[in-house]
Amino acid sequence: MNIPMKKRIISAAVLVGVFLAAFAGLYWYKTHGKGKEAIRDIYAMDTEMEIKTYGKDADKAADAAVSEIQRLDKMLSAQNEDSEIYKLNQAGELDVSDEAVSMIQEAKELSEETDGAFDITVYPLMEAWGFPSQDYRVPEQSEIDELLTHVGSDKTTIDGNHVTLAKGTQIDLGGIAKGYTSARLMEIFQKYDLTTAMVSLGGNVQTLRPKEDGTDWNIAIRDPKDPSDSSGYVGVVSVSSDAVITSGGYERYFVQDGKTYQHILDPSTGYPADSGIISSTIVSKNGTLADGLSTALYVMGADKAEQFWREHSDEFDFVLVTSDGKILVSEGLESRFTSDGDVEIIRKP
Ligand code: ADP
Ligand code: MG
């Protein structure tokens, strides 16, 4: 072929032009269009957190999420001397914010519904075991017995914004803090007209709508027997707009004289829960509930947990891993949970 030089230059220029336009278009779409993505990785509430937002205001939404996490980290920490919770624990009574009252109220109700498996008044016991300070020790039985007398949902009284703790009682919202936070982030995201979003607060996930390609988010549940191995999963849950929150003893523990002591306490014994469940995941539209129940079902053990779910199956589903390697999955997740493990579907009668 013998194309004149001038024509060749022109067609090359057209080609370059087409490419430039395509790249510019793609760039515009990425930064301004529907497909714009923002990612933030931060460390807060003693854990790694990831925020992913999509939509034209993705950046603004992600920044707002970071500020909200920092606000709640300060507000909810029982160890932060400036927090309402710290001040309430010191003084024994205090006028607290509307937000703190509603969280304490919610925790109290959860405690009553779970027959005390979830109880924010375990804090003095958490301290005795050295979990908050990481100055770990095994307390004497007599010390545990004394501290148990200050545990119970009836030890906290609420009158308007005035919260009173019984003598010797202290509270810790750590068992619902991350679920409450992810739920708050979803509320904030609603204002930014996002196409979709996902937050993972130390493995506790909440999603807003399906991914941009229309498919569900796939949330892997870590293998509690091998949590350090990032490829070790017990299974994957597919969700669109849900909280997927896991409690596992592997998250914080210490070993003394060959025994492992983990950070979720059984409020009825004052000892680390030893119910035969080693990982408890709750899937629910309600992040705060999911977090509280992940702790509660971990404490209850399989039989009580199944019974509790049968009474509240419209509010949540679960994936429980037992120490003998079984994966118990409630009916509602049957088509949304995939695993290579030994799965048993738990059904309603
Ligand atoms: P994590 O914060 O590690 O994700 P959880 O949601 O399971 O874990 O909550 C555990 C935290 O809740 C503990 O670190 C402690 O602050 C508090 N806690 C421990 N046991 C209980 C319990 N039985 N009820 C309520 N809160 C608890
Ligand atoms: Mg929890």
Side-chain angles (χ1 to χ4, degrees):
M1 260 209 296
N2 191 5
I3 303 164
M5 192 56 142
K6 204 172 163 190
K7 262 201 175 157
R8 268 197 256 173
I9 291 171
I10 290 169
S11 52
V14 167
L15 211 64
V16 168
V18 166
F19 268 114
L20 282 179
F23 275 119
L26 203 67
Y27 178 77
W28 187 90
Y29 183 74
K30 269 275 178 202
T31 51
H32 295 83
K34 170 180 170 233
K36 194 184 170 196
E37 174 188 64
I39 298 179
R40 302 286 184 275
D41 290 298
I42 62 163
Y43 191 88
M45 300 183 178
D46 277 332
T47 192
E48 308 276 348
M49 300 188 167
E50 185 180 38
I51 297 152
K52 285 185 175 180
T53 53
Y54 300 80
K56 69 179 177 6
D57 285 332
D59 269 304
K60 281 188 200 154
D63 289 338
V66 170
S67 309
E68 180 67 355
I69 290 170
Q70 287 162 346
R71 180 183 78 83
L72 290 169
D73 191 3
K74 282 198 203 108
M75 177 193 155
L76 299 175
S77 167
Q79 286 177 279
N80 170 12
E81 294 183 13
D82 296 324
S83 80
E84 292 179 274
I85 304 301
Y86 180 91
K87 289 176 186 159
L88 170 62
N89 283 339
Q90 295 311 304
E93 60 179 298
L94 191 71
D95 277 323
V96 299
S97 63
D98 290 350
E99 195 174 22
V101 170
S102 68
M103 285 187 80
I104 295 168
Q105 181 64 38
E106 216 166 325
K108 209 170 129 95
E109 284 163 17
L110 205 55
S111 182
E112 282 153 15
E113 279 166 33
T114 60
D115 207 10
F118 180 87
D119 198 323
I120 55 171
T121 63
V122 291
Y123 194 57
L125 282 151
M126 289 296 290
E127 283 191 310
W129 286 91
F131 284 108
S133 61
Q134 296 184 29
D135 203 354
Y136 303 120
R137 60 190 270 271
V138 178
E140 295 288 331
Q141 186 62 51
S142 57
E143 188 182 353
I144 289 177
D145 289 342
E146 199 282 319
L147 292 173
L148 278 172
T149 65
H150 309 299
V151 174
S153 63
D154 58 333
K155 308 286 180 200
T156 311
T157 4
I158 302 171
D159 181 9
N161 285 54
H162 195 75
V163 180
T164 308
L165 305 177
K167 198 169 182 296
T169 295
Q170 296 196 343
I171 62 165
D172 163 31
L173 295 172
I176 50 170
K178 280 176 240 157
Y180 177 81
T181 302
S182 64
R184 276 288 304 145
L185 299 184
M186 298 303 126
E187 276 175 35
I188 288 173
F189 291 162
Q190 299 286 357
K191 293 182 210 149
Y192 288 92
D193 194 23
L194 298 178
T195 50
T196 178
M198 192 275 312
V199 298
S200 171
L201 314 182
N204 301 303
V205 172
Q206 192 157 356
T207 59
L208 178 83
R209 294 195 270 274
K211 288 186 290 180
E212 288 204 313
D213 65 6
T215 63
D216 283 344
W217 292 93
N218 291 322
I219 314 299
I221 298 174
R222 285 204 297 183
D223 182 356
K225 289 222 161 111
D226 192 8
S228 57
D229 178 5
S230 54
S231 63
Y233 297 119
V234 294
V236 174
V237 193
S238 299
V239 294
S240 51
S241 299
D242 295 276
V244 181
I245 296 194
T246 301
S247 288
Y250 56 82
E251 283 167 19
R252 183 160 301 174
Y253 63 90
F254 67 97
V255 181
Q256 189 170 307
D257 300 328
K259 266 201 82 158
T260 301
Y261 300 93
Q262 53 74 28
H263 75 307
I264 298 171
L265 298 185
D266 182 340
S268 70
T269 63
Y271 275 81
D274 186 17
S275 69
I277 288 178
I278 55 175
S279 160
S280 156
T281 298
I282 304 295
V283 179
S284 173
K285 299 277 171 218
N286 180 336
T288 311
L289 180 77
D291 199 358
L293 289 182
S294 73
T295 306
L297 269 63
Y298 188 97
V299 172
M300 286 179 191
D303 292 346
K304 273 196 197 162
E306 288 172 19
Q307 191 49 42
F308 183 84
W309 168 75
R310 288 192 176 99
E311 289 158 14
H312 300 87
S313 59
D314 52 332
E315 289 173 80
F316 76 97
D317 274 291
F318 65 68
V319 177
L320 305 175
V321 182
T322 67
S323 51
D324 50 7
K326 267 213 205 96
I327 306 167
L328 309 173
V329 179
S330 64
E331 202 170 25
L333 294 178
E334 190 167 11
S335 63
R336 297 198 276 152
F337 181 73
T338 48
S339 170
D340 294 333
D342 178 10
V343 175
E344 185 186 333
I345 303 292
I346 306 303
R347 299 182 192 284
K348 278 172 275 176

